[in-house]
Amino acid sequence: MFPDIGAVFGPYTYLVSEILFGSVALWLLVRAEALPRAAKTLLVIYPIGFVWDWYTLTIGVFAIPLRTGVELLGIPLEEHIFIVVVPALVLGIHENLLQR
């Protein structure tokens, strides 16, 4: 059904997907002129996301096979990016909907 991008990007698959969706989030926030407001929200949300992510990885809730293997502060690099990208995408969509 969907192309297997894991076959193309291997251990960089998760990172590539984060960069792709992060770019969309950034574009939406810039388009809505909401980047400064979103940055404040992301700074507040990040520590909560970090603890949540660290905990779920520590207890083995999920595994991430297609990643770089680089870890920072006990969680994969890609998860740090994920903690920012997901709320940024939500905020970008929300801000653009408010303008309509």
Side-chain angles (χ1 to χ4, degrees):
M1 181 182 275
F2 292 105
D4 181 7
I5 65 169
V8 176
F9 297 110
Y12 297 97
T13 302
Y14 192 14
L15 184 61
V16 168
S17 71
E18 293 300 325
I19 291 169
L20 174 69
F21 285 100
S23 298
V24 172
L26 180 61
W27 176 77
L28 287 167
L29 290 169
V30 169
R31 181 177 183 272
E33 298 177 356
L35 194 54
R37 287 190 313 276
K40 279 194 238 180
T41 302
L42 294 170
L43 283 171
V44 172
I45 290 173
Y46 180 84
I48 298 164
F50 173 82
V51 170
W52 184 358
D53 211 89
W54 172 84
Y55 176 73
T56 56
L57 285 167
T58 300
I59 64 169
V61 169
F62 62 94
I64 308 164
L66 296 176
R67 63 184 185 93
T68 60
V70 175
E71 291 203 5
L72 300 169
L73 303 171
I75 67 173
L77 167 67
E78 294 86 351
E79 287 297 296
H80 288 277
I81 298 168
F82 182 84
I83 293 167
V84 173
V85 168
V86 171
L89 192 55
V90 170
L91 290 169
I93 291 167
H94 177 74
E95 289 291 335
N96 277 273
L97 286 173
L98 287 176
Q99 291 183 350
R100 299 288 161 180

